Amino acid sequence: MPDDAAFMRRAIALADASVATLEGGPFGAVIVRDDRIVGEGANRVTTDHDPTAHAEIVAIRDACRTLSTFSLDGCVIYTSCEPCPMCLAAIYWARISAIVYGNTREDAARIGFDDDLIYREVALAMAQRSIPTRRLLAGEAIGTFDSWSRTAGKVPY
């Protein structure tokens, strides 16, 4: 049986270290397979000047490097806070099997990390979103997809 509390405490410790060193925001995450940590990360948004460097993304990248795969099927992510929409999407893309979290998105909003706008925007039709979005050169762009669909030996993901 996995030691859920120990893995969550490690995620919280990574978040605490990030706060203490000011190397990012107050978030940490670990990815576990077969009761062993295979990836971990703390928020590095401000340190790396990368808005995608959330703890979960950093941990996913670390686990994928460690395991030499893009699929984390069979892994569990322990994260100090409920994942934001970007991290949640990455967790699905990585095929992580379960999510265990500490703080809620409401807890995060209380300290200035409010994801509600993004959750609301994703649910809207493109024409209703606050960032203007338009389609261009669809006839040319589809050629790449056609080539992909005919390519032998591709690795589907």
Side-chain angles (χ1 to χ4, degrees):
M1 174 177 238
D3 191 350
D4 284 340
F7 296 135
M8 180 57 76
R9 284 188 181 104
R10 176 63 184 153
I12 293 167
L14 290 165
D16 287 341
S18 185
V19 169
T21 61
L22 295 176
E23 289 186 359
F27 305 96
V30 298
I31 297 176
V32 174
R33 176 179 276 165
D34 299 326
D35 298 327
R36 182 176 67 89
I37 293 175
V38 295
E40 61 181 28
N43 183 285
R44 298 197 46 83
V45 169
T46 57
T47 304
D48 291 355
H49 310 287
D50 179 355
T52 69
H54 291 197
E56 297 91 338
I57 302 295
V58 174
I60 288 169
R61 291 173 180 161
D62 188 37
C64 287
R65 275 190 304 271
T66 297
L67 299 173
S68 298
T69 184
F70 58 84
S71 176
L72 299 177
D73 186 37
C75 292
V76 176
I77 187 165
Y78 295 81
T79 178
S80 63
C81 186
E82 178 181 354
C84 76
M86 176 186 70
C87 293
L88 184 60
I91 288 165
Y92 275 93
W93 275 112
R95 297 176 180 89
I96 291 173
S97 299
I99 302 167
V100 181
Y101 67 94
N103 295 312
T104 66
R105 61 178 156 170
E106 292 81 13
D107 296 329
R110 280 194 290 280
I111 63 165
F113 296 93
D114 192 352
D115 300 328
D116 274 348
L117 170 67
I118 301 169
Y119 279 106
R120 286 192 311 273
E121 289 277 315
V122 168
L124 296 173
M126 276 194 221
Q128 296 175 315
R129 293 180 184 165
S130 62
I131 297 176
T133 305
R134 63 189 178 102
R135 193 171 183 196
L136 181 65
L137 299 177
E140 293 178 34
I142 199 67
T144 305
F145 280 12
D146 292 341
S147 293
W148 172 259
S149 69
R150 293 187 305 270
T151 299
K154 64 183 174 253
V155 177
Y157 60 94

